[in-house]
Amino acid sequence: MKFAAADIHFMRTAMELAERGKFTAAPNPLVGCVIVNNDEQIIGQGWHKTYGGPHAEVEAFESIAADHTALLHESTWYITLEPCNHVGKTPACAALIEHIKPKRVVIGIRDFNPEVAGRGLERLRQAGIQVDCGCLANELAWQNRRFCWNTQKNRPWVVLKWATSIDGFMDGRPSEHRLPGSGGFPITSEAAKPLTHTWRALEKGIAVGAGTVTVDEPQLNVRSLKAPSPRVVLLDPECIIRPNHPLLLRDPNAIHVVGTISSNSDPNCCAWQVNEGLDKLLEQLFTNYGLSSLLVEGGAMVLNDFLEQGAWNEIKRWTSPLPTKGGLSAPLLPSDTISLPYGHKSSGQIGMDSWINRLHPRHVFD
Ligand SMILES: [Zn+2]
């Protein structure tokens, strides 16, 4: 159906509100809601702030001033995602809207979960409310790409991240100098860090290989950014990291992926062998640990494994203009990556370093 300019305007406002949950809503979807009166004035708005917290529709309803509640039966609700029709951690939003019975509800996208898709929408229609679905649908599906991928594939949305020198190295030291505990070899300048930390905060997990942990001893957090740090996933199928390693002591919540598990292993130990393939690991990280997205930060071998197995959705890569003239080769960017859709920036520069953000060539919904 074709939507009026006013519909698109209010849905865009709801989409912008939804985006505010980007660091805290996952593994729940990003949802925004705008309630408009008969004169096309916004009388209520809300978004889904935190996992398990009130849904956007409830937030919007509760934001309405007391003298506006009489207008609710004439209102139009703009909701970026189909209202839920099941009682989970909170009551069903479709029940709330059915009770209020507004004149019209405009929905961005249906819930991707096949078990709920269409049911919230149907409930509202049966209550006699006009329901129009599909306003800004493609852009909203992109905004909720992680949730969409999760519900269809039962695995996390995977983002690969690395930094390379202009001559193609991610660590400028010769191998004999990459000794345990020798620390990281920064490729990018300090100015690049805030964006790197934002990239971390956007994902629920951060994966790093045992070799990188041994040499670089990375922090893997979001530093001063006001957002939760992702949960560390230490990829150690050869079991070379001891349980008393500083990273595991510092972060008892870290998931330690090991080849074999003894009967008295920590519940955060996840059994996985390299020959089982990354799909198997990703399935476990989603199903058993609730990781709806994963940022893979290295090292080179780990990143190359993800690239070779096609087990990724996005790539974020820094490039420094300075050569290192040797060292550890950085992964090669696949030749068939595509730009981000809907005007989202796929490249930029901060200080002297430049970054790109590319997407896997398969469609988000494939
Ligand atoms: Zn809901």
Side-chain angles (χ1 to χ4, degrees), residues 55 57 84 93:
H55 288 187
E57 298 91 321
C84 61
C93 295

Side-chain angles (χ1 to χ4, degrees), residues 303-317:
L303 288 161
N304 279 323
D305 283 347
F306 276 82
L307 286 165
E308 277 163 23
Q309 294 181 39
W312 60 277
N313 301 86
E314 276 180 70
I315 289 174
K316 293 179 172 177
R317 189 193 68 181

Side-chain angles (χ1 to χ4, degrees), residues 61-116:
F61 173 66
E62 288 182 349
S63 77
I64 296 172
D67 54 340
H68 280 141
T69 49
L71 307 170
L72 270 171
H73 67 282
E74 292 186 332
S75 63
T76 298
W77 291 46
Y78 293 89
I79 315 167
T80 59
L81 181 71
E82 175 180 3
C84 61
N85 189 32
H86 57 282
V87 179
K89 288 179 184 289
T90 56
C93 295
L96 168 76
I97 302 170
E98 181 185 39
H99 176 71
I100 293 162
K101 211 174 176 204
K103 187 176 67 180
R104 182 176 174 231
V105 174
V106 182
I107 291 168
I109 44 176
R110 286 186 178 213
D111 197 316
F112 302 105
N113 188 339
E115 287 180 10
V116 292

